Amino acid sequence: MTNDPSASNDPILIVPWFWIGDFVRVHSVVTLLRAQAPQRGVDMLATPLTAPLADYMPGVRRAIVADMPRRRIAVARQSELAERLKAERYGRALVMPRTWKAALAPWVAGIPLRTGFFGEFRFGLINDLRFGERTLPRMIDQMGALALVNGAEPPAQWPLPKLDVPAQESAAWRALRGLMPDGRPAVAFAPGAVGTGKAWPAANYAALARTLAKEGLAVWVVGGPNETPLAAEIVRSGGEAVRDLTGPDLRNAIFALAGADAAVTNDSGLMHVAAAIGTPTVAIFGPTSSWHWKPLNPLAAILEPPLDAATAARVQTEGNRAVAHRTTADVPPALVAKSVRAALERRA
């Protein structure tokens, strides 16, 4: 058995982390695998939420959609998924989460080579077992290492994630939503975030919307159902220039971020979506390390409360612990507005 991707023609399955931002990051691994072995198809396991992202990832053959509960094994669903995986005749699976449950269906399906890091005593379930995950500083370093031959040096630069949204699909979506171009630049707001303290206050987004609306810009608020109350507050502040585009279908956010001239986000999954699309993105960080968690793709600006020299020196080794005291509220709306204007000027 070899873990050399070029030694087989059988397709590869990636079992990724399923948070939106992490799912986007995995496209770097897809690109790496396709460069190593262009003859092998690459599929991604996906949840119903993240599956639309795979449609816009160059090099992904298909998404295998499975709706698995988080806190139980769900034996019947695991068995059904294993049967679907078996039918695809995968030669290798990259299992990125270190959980026993993540490795179960690939093992039951009999995928010959199952690569993953040590965790939860998965001996046997993972037969290409890797160690040293915690010595790799960023999630992309951990993900990418699984795509390399065991012990190989990582590349100097991982491939950048990319979401390629066809212009005709974006135009059709805009027409359906009544968002036809009217000469005003559009700025997408993504006010949601998973994790305590990561979201810039809704009142600040509302103030920013009011400022941009007065300057003749359109504002589109994107996110899931949890962000709908935030969107309502922003609409009340910004008036008719603001549109609430929140809802359960991630595809709406993908199209909005692809059609916008700039985006303002928290450290969130939609930050990664916007960056991978190539939309100039102003990202606001607080109690998380931007060095560890920013996208590989270039951003228009990273705004965060200032750090003293001693704390800044600790960030790369301590990560979020070094900046857990910071709050996004310390990033003023005026600074964000200035960064948005600069991003729009550069794009123009």
Side-chain angles (χ1 to χ4, degrees):
M1 185 184 302
T2 176
N3 58 21
D4 180 358
S6 64
S8 171
N9 291 326
D10 295 329
I12 300 171
L13 174 70
I14 298 177
V15 181
W17 297 95
F18 293 121
W19 296 107
I20 291 172
D22 299 336
F23 196 91
V24 173
R25 290 181 204 271
V26 175
H27 188 247
S28 293
V29 180
V30 173
T31 303
L32 183 63
L33 290 171
R34 295 286 293 153
Q36 293 171 343
Q39 78 281 5
R40 302 184 74 170
V42 178
D43 294 354
M44 291 179 66
L45 197 63
T47 65
L49 172 64
T50 57
L53 292 166
D55 291 344
Y56 305 106
M57 290 180 168
V60 173
R61 190 179 67 164
R62 68 172 61 93
I64 306 296
V65 183
D67 191 6
M68 296 291 184
R70 288 190 180 175
R71 292 181 174 82
R72 55 190 177 89
I73 294 296
V75 173
R77 292 192 193 181
Q78 290 280 0
S79 298
E80 186 270 337
L81 174 59
E83 287 301 313
R84 292 167 59 197
L85 299 182
K86 187 182 297 185
E88 297 292 339
R89 300 184 179 274
Y90 293 111
R92 186 184 187 194
L94 272 61
V95 183
M96 292 176 175
R98 289 185 296 111
T99 63
W100 189 87
K101 185 170 71 172
L104 184 57
W107 173 69
V108 174
I111 297 175
L113 185 64
R114 303 177 299 278
T115 303
F117 281 107
F118 173 77
E120 293 192 358
F121 299 97
R122 300 188 296 177
F123 302 106
L125 294 180
I126 298 294
N127 59 4
D128 178 21
L129 197 61
R130 308 291 180 88
F131 295 87
E133 180 187 31
R134 298 188 187 281
T135 67
L136 300 172
R138 301 172 302 170
M139 180 168 279
I140 182 56
D141 302 317
Q142 299 162 7
M143 292 175 170
L146 297 180
L148 303 175
V149 174
N150 200 2
E153 286 292 319
Q157 174 66 48
W158 297 108
L160 297 181
K162 183 178 182 182
L163 295 175
D164 189 1
V165 181
Q168 64 272 23
E169 289 189 30
S170 182
W173 174 84
R174 289 187 69 153
L176 184 65
R177 288 281 179 166
L179 295 169
M180 299 304 293
D182 58 5
R184 292 183 299 171
V187 180
F189 287 6
V194 176
T196 304
K198 291 172 65 175
W200 200 43
N204 286 8
Y205 274 106
L208 179 63
R210 192 163 54 248
T211 296
L212 298 182
K214 288 179 179 178
E215 295 176 5
L217 278 65
V219 175
W220 301 343
V221 186
V222 299
N226 289 340
E227 282 71 65
T228 300
L230 302 178
E233 181 176 345
I234 296 168
V235 169
R236 282 194 299 271
S237 179
E240 63 180 15
V242 184
R243 283 289 301 271
D244 175 3
L245 301 175
T246 60
D249 187 353
L250 180 58
R251 210 174 295 268
N252 284 323
I254 294 171
F255 284 131
L257 291 167
D261 297 283
V264 179
T265 77
N266 303 314
D267 173 17
S268 67
L270 293 184
M271 170 185 67
H272 290 271
V273 173
I277 289 171
T279 301
T281 303
V282 176
I284 302 168
F285 281 77
T288 51
S289 162
S290 59
W291 185 84
H292 286 86
W293 299 106
K294 68 182 179 181
L296 286 180
N297 311 79
L299 295 173
I302 294 176
L303 304 180
E304 52 193 333
L307 290 175
D308 59 78
T311 304
R314 292 165 37 217
V315 169
Q316 290 196 18
T317 55
E318 296 185 23
N320 292 350
R321 291 193 302 274
V323 295
H325 62 283
R326 298 192 311 186
T327 173
T328 55
D330 289 336
V331 177
L335 177 59
V336 181
K338 180 180 178 181
S339 297
V340 170
R341 294 185 199 106
L344 292 172
E345 289 173 4
R346 286 195 297 271
R347 182 158 186 154

